[in-house]
Amino acid sequence: MDMQVSFLDRLFDAGLLIETGVDGLYGRSGQFEDVIAAFERLIDRVGGADGAEAMRFPPGMNREFFETSGYMKSFPQLAGTVHSFCGSELDHMSLLKCMEVGEDWTKGQEATDIVLTPAACYPLYPTVARRGKLPKSGGLYDLQSYCFRHEPSKDPARQQLFRMREYVCMGTEQHVTDFRQRWMDRGVEMMTSVGLDVTIDVANDPFFGRAGKMLVNNQRDQNLKFELLIPITSTAKPTACMSFNYHQDAFGTKWGLYLEDGSTAHTACVGFGLERIALALFHTHGLDVKAWPESVRAVLWG
């Protein structure tokens, strides 16, 4: 933990991250954003020729879609909902009194129709399903969004609001698993090109509760999730900076995603944790971008 705090403090001292008083909620400097923008351009260069359809959703999604996704069954501890004041003038007076005396003023808030987006791809599936059947060649989509996960931490690589860039592939089993393997190879090449030491390992999502243990075992046994790991705050426990997920036909069945021949679409996605990749670059090459190796600067900025 001391190592994590010291790296976080160094990021604060350098002005790269800006403290807000809430663990895992940080502002970013122009320099930090420039690194993320440069890495996104690298993603575009590597994946651009694939012809993905770009979509950008806000960091909030339709609560009905969120409920249909089943996220609360698996990850209730990570979810964030948007609540608002919907009361009368009398309720408002009561709220202000609670604030004045330091009592809980949020108890009268009511849930809105918006939930904080947990992963960039979540709004995509119902959007594509509404279009009707996918062509025989399937579909490929390019997404980027701020995402929320309620896990406060002093680890700068575990933020509550962070950006995720994703490519999502829909099609036959062979089509989407080939897509995933191609991006696993590309991911290693990309990270190596910017001087980062990486490993890829089988992984699992943080499923909740006793029932979640069975889901963890199934996910690992079937090699449904791999992560690309880079040391940021610990060499013994490197941080997942990319993930490569094969959903089988689970999302196709849930959302009614079908191919032209009537078969249920399989889906896979590759995700880039943009803040984590930037942090890995700062941790590896130092906090002064001008002092980074020329070879790395050439890849990122030309």
Side-chain angles (χ1 to χ4, degrees), residues 121-238:
C121 61
Y122 268 61
L124 173 69
Y125 303 108
T127 299
V128 174
R130 286 199 302 269
R131 294 177 171 180
K133 289 183 179 179
L134 288 154
K136 193 163 118 183
S137 58
L140 182 63
Y141 309 94
D142 169 0
L143 307 162
Q144 198 255 52
S145 177
Y146 261 100
C147 302
F148 174 84
R149 292 182 189 169
H150 180 244
E151 42 185 356
S153 172
K154 295 283 188 186
D155 180 352
R158 191 163 294 281
Q159 299 186 17
Q160 297 197 71
L161 275 163
F162 56 92
R163 276 161 294 185
M164 186 184 296
R165 177 76 178 266
E166 282 194 62
Y167 284 108
V168 178
C169 184
M170 302 180 185
T172 64
E173 176 180 357
Q174 188 67 52
H175 180 62
V176 304
T177 52
D178 286 349
F179 156 86
R180 183 176 72 155
Q181 184 58 55
R182 184 162 61 250
W183 270 106
M184 286 172 71
D185 296 338
R186 287 173 171 178
V188 172
E189 292 171 8
M190 290 172 69
M191 298 305 177
T192 302
S193 75
V194 292
L196 297 177
D197 293 327
V198 305
T199 55
I200 286 186
D201 200 3
V202 65
N204 61 268
D205 290 308
F207 295 105
F208 184 77
R210 283 182 293 179
K213 291 178 181 176
M214 185 173 69
L215 295 173
V216 165
N217 292 336
N218 288 344
Q219 193 176 36
R220 295 183 76 93
D221 289 346
Q222 297 180 68
N223 291 333
L224 299 182
K225 184 182 186 75
F226 289 90
E227 290 177 337
L228 183 147
L229 307 167
I230 307 174
I232 298 178
T233 57
S234 168
T235 52
K237 292 184 177 180

Side-chain angles (χ1 to χ4, degrees), residues 47-148:
D50 295 343
E53 177 185 354
M55 296 188 199
R56 297 293 182 265
F57 293 98
M61 64 176 290
N62 184 326
R63 191 177 87 185
E64 184 180 338
F65 293 158
F66 175 82
E67 291 166 355
T68 301
S69 76
Y71 191 85
M72 291 301 286
K73 291 180 181 177
S74 300
F75 316 109
Q77 78 280 17
L78 301 179
T81 53
V82 178
H83 289 63
S84 290
F85 173 76
C86 302
S88 64
E89 279 194 61
L90 195 61
D91 296 326
H92 182 220
M93 290 175 62
S94 176
L95 179 151
L96 293 176
K97 284 180 182 176
C98 285
M99 293 184 78
E100 284 175 14
V101 298
E103 293 180 357
D104 179 14
W105 59 270
T106 65
K107 58 190 175 185
Q109 302 274 297
E110 296 180 15
T112 67
D113 291 329
I114 297 173
V115 173
L116 296 177
T117 303
C121 61
Y122 268 61
L124 173 69
Y125 303 108
T127 299
V128 174
R130 286 199 302 269
R131 294 177 171 180
K133 289 183 179 179
L134 288 154
K136 193 163 118 183
S137 58
L140 182 63
Y141 309 94
D142 169 0
L143 307 162
Q144 198 255 52
S145 177
Y146 261 100
C147 302
F148 174 84

Side-chain angles (χ1 to χ4, degrees), residues 229-277:
L229 307 167
I230 307 174
I232 298 178
T233 57
S234 168
T235 52
K237 292 184 177 180
T239 300
C241 293
M242 290 184 68
S243 65
F244 312 90
N245 307 284
Y246 170 43
H247 315 122
Q248 300 174 307
D249 64 355
F251 287 167
T253 300
K254 186 183 294 292
W255 293 109
L257 298 165
Y258 300 106
L259 301 177
E260 278 180 353
D261 64 5
S263 62
T264 302
H266 286 235
T267 63
C269 67
V270 53
F272 298 82
L274 296 177
E275 277 79 11
R276 287 184 173 184
I277 292 168

